[in-house]
Amino acid sequence: MVGREGAFGISLILGVDEAPLDALVQGSGSALRMEAAHFQRLLAVRDSISN
């Protein structure tokens, strides 16, 4: 998750499979969710995401 205060999921980019964090969206609007396994597959095929 990327927002004004940072990003969530950086641990997956760094190769850590599990992070001791929970995400909470506060405020109006919407949020999207992606499974960690899907994000890791995208990282594997798209160098521009992780570099």
Side-chain angles (χ1 to χ4, degrees):
M1 177 170 54
V2 177
R4 293 185 184 122
E5 297 179 9
F8 191 82
I10 297 299
S11 57
L12 292 172
I13 293 172
L14 298 174
V16 178
D17 289 333
E18 189 172 322
L21 306 169
D22 288 323
L24 175 65
V25 178
Q26 293 180 304
S28 62
S30 62
L32 300 174
R33 179 179 176 157
M34 179 185 295
E35 295 291 328
H38 183 71
F39 185 56
Q40 287 173 319
R41 284 192 300 273
L42 287 174
L43 290 174
V45 298
R46 304 290 278 179
D47 264 355
S48 61
I49 295 173
S50 60
N51 290 328

